[in-house]
């Protein structure tokens, strides 16, 4: 394959929601711990999230007040470093003003991951100059709209990422599903139904995300009980229906 093997790894409610009050309830904390354990045990070369998830998980500094006033910056991919583990951010217009080249997090499954920004050519020079200054890598995937197949090909070619965890949210998952870029789905299912109408589904449709109503087919590889009343489900792409190499 000319792209990484992509595993969508998420925690969800019984009714397929990935946000909501159920995630805050202390009795379900053990399932969140299981999610992080499984993340570590996959031993992937990186994880990827949408701009909203990155902002929520890793607090961002304020936007710098001073604009870049140097010469125009070419829209060329920038490899600040090759690392053992990467944090890939889908940030089409350049809104994540990282203050460091790597993630800082108490969980060793995330801490130290070198950041790669996936941008469109719309990202302003001030933003590109900031990333270079901080030692954050970036690549371009599309002029004004994201080209996800190109993005993941570049992740393999430029950074050597062979296995990638796709970790939400719903918009980014929906975009990958739409492009047939999900090889495996790993779900930690919490035994709660989330009734809020604002809760985000595992694969979101709409402005971004999946645009067609076509169902994609997967086959069950494994189902494990977690802590008596939770589940870990692993599905792989149904190769009979989705031929790919
Ligand atoms: N339960 C779990 O396992 C889990 C895991 C991860 C996240 N979450 C939750 O999910 C929530 C966020 O999910 P979300 O669906 O709102 O956001 P998201 O997928 O994290 O990020 C969406 C943003 O990414 C960019 N993007 C993604 N796909 C795009 C596309 N096809 N074209 C252009 N831009 C695209 C856009 O950024 P711009 O707006 O900058 O254009 C878009 O607004 C958070 O509350 C988080 O806690 C849950």
């Amino acid at each position: 394959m000319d792209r990484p093997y992509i595993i969508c790894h998420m925690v969800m409610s019984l009714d397929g929601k990935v946000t909501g009050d159920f995630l805050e309830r202390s009795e379900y904390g053990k399932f969140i711990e299981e999610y992080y354990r499984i993340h570590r045990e996959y031993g992937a070369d990186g994880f990827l999230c949408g701009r909203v998830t990155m902002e929520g998980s890793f607090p961002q500094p304020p936007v710098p007040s001073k604009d870049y006033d140097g010469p125009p910056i070419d829209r060329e991919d920038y490899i600040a470093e090759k690392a053992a583990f990467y944090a890939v951010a889908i940030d089409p217009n350049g809104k994540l003003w990282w203050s460091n080249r790597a993630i800082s997090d108490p969980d060793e499954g995330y801490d130290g991951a070198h950041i790669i920004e996936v941008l469109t050519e719309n990202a302003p020079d001030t933003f590109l100059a900031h990333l270079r200054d901080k030692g954050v890598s970036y690549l371009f995937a599309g002029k004004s709209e994201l080209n996800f197949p190109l993005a993941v090909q570049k992740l393999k070619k430029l950074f050597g990422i062979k296995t990638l965890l796709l970790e939400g949210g719903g918009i980014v998952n929906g975009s990958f599903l739409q492009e047939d870029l999900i090889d495996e789905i790993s779900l930690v299912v919490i035994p709660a139904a989330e009734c809020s109408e604002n809760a985000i589904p595992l694969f979101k449709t709409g402005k971004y995300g999946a645009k067609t109503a076509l169902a994609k087919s997967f086959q069950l590889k494994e189902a494990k009980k977690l802590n008596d009343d939770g589940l870990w489900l692993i599905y792989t792409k149904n190769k009979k229906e989705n031929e790919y190499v």
Side-chain angles (χ1 to χ4, degrees), residues 10-11 18-19 51-53 95 148 167 169-172 175 208:
M10 299 289 287
V11 182
V18 299
T19 62
R51 194 263 307 162
V52 176
T53 298
K95 294 182 185 168
F148 285 97
E167 296 191 340
I171 291 177
V172 117
S175 305
Y208 302 130

Side-chain angles (χ1 to χ4, degrees), residues 211-215:
K211 292 183 184 67
T212 67
L214 287 180

Side-chain angles (χ1 to χ4, degrees), residues 4 12 17 33 41 46 49 55 65 82 89 94 118 140 147 155 158 177 181 188 202 218 225 230 235 243:
M12 68 171 204
K17 305 288 175 28
E33 289 309 314
E41 288 179 4
C49 296
E55 228 164 42
S65 52
K82 297 278 181 85
V118 175
F140 293 98
N147 177 336
L155 289 175
L158 302 178
L177 187 73
L181 290 173
V188 170
L202 180 60
F218 291 85
K225 220 169 164 183
Y235 286 88
E243 287 299 334

Side-chain angles (χ1 to χ4, degrees), residues 84-188:
F85 189 60
Y86 295 95
V88 184
I90 300 297
D91 186 16
N93 299 301
K95 294 182 185 168
L96 297 168
W97 295 84
W98 301 99
S99 56
N100 207 335
R101 45 162 282 287
I103 296 289
S104 176
D105 192 81
D107 189 309
E108 66 180 34
Y110 294 89
D111 192 45
H114 175 62
I115 300 159
I116 305 171
E117 280 266 308
V118 175
L119 305 169
T120 66
E121 294 182 20
N122 277 346
D125 279 7
T126 299
F127 187 71
L128 303 183
H130 174 84
L131 295 183
R132 283 173 177 255
D133 181 51
K134 298 297 174 193
V136 171
S137 296
Y138 58 79
L139 61 83
F140 293 98
K143 277 198 173 305
S144 58
E145 289 205 1
L146 283 169
N147 177 336
F148 285 97
L150 177 63
V152 292
Q153 278 165 22
K154 285 188 174 186
L155 289 175
K156 184 163 187 185
K157 193 168 165 207
L158 302 178
F159 296 94
I161 297 179
K162 295 196 185 87
T163 308
L164 181 66
L165 292 170
L166 167 65
E167 296 191 340
I171 291 177
V172 117
N173 289 350
S175 305
F176 271 68
L177 187 73
Q178 166 75 16
E179 300 285 356
D180 259 332
L181 290 173
I182 299 179
D183 302 300
E184 184 169 323
I185 301 178
S186 159
L187 298 173
V188 170

Side-chain angles (χ1 to χ4, degrees), residues 5 23 28 32 46 48 54 65 77 83 105 111 117 125 149 161 163 168-169 177 189 197 200-201 206 211 225 232 245:
Y5 183 82
L23 288 168
Y28 298 141
I32 312 287
L48 179 149
M54 283 298 192
S65 52
D77 303 328
D105 192 81
D111 192 45
E117 280 266 308
D125 279 7
I161 297 179
T163 308
L177 187 73
V189 184
E197 65 180 39
I200 296 173
K211 292 183 184 67
K225 220 169 164 183
W232 179 28
V245 182

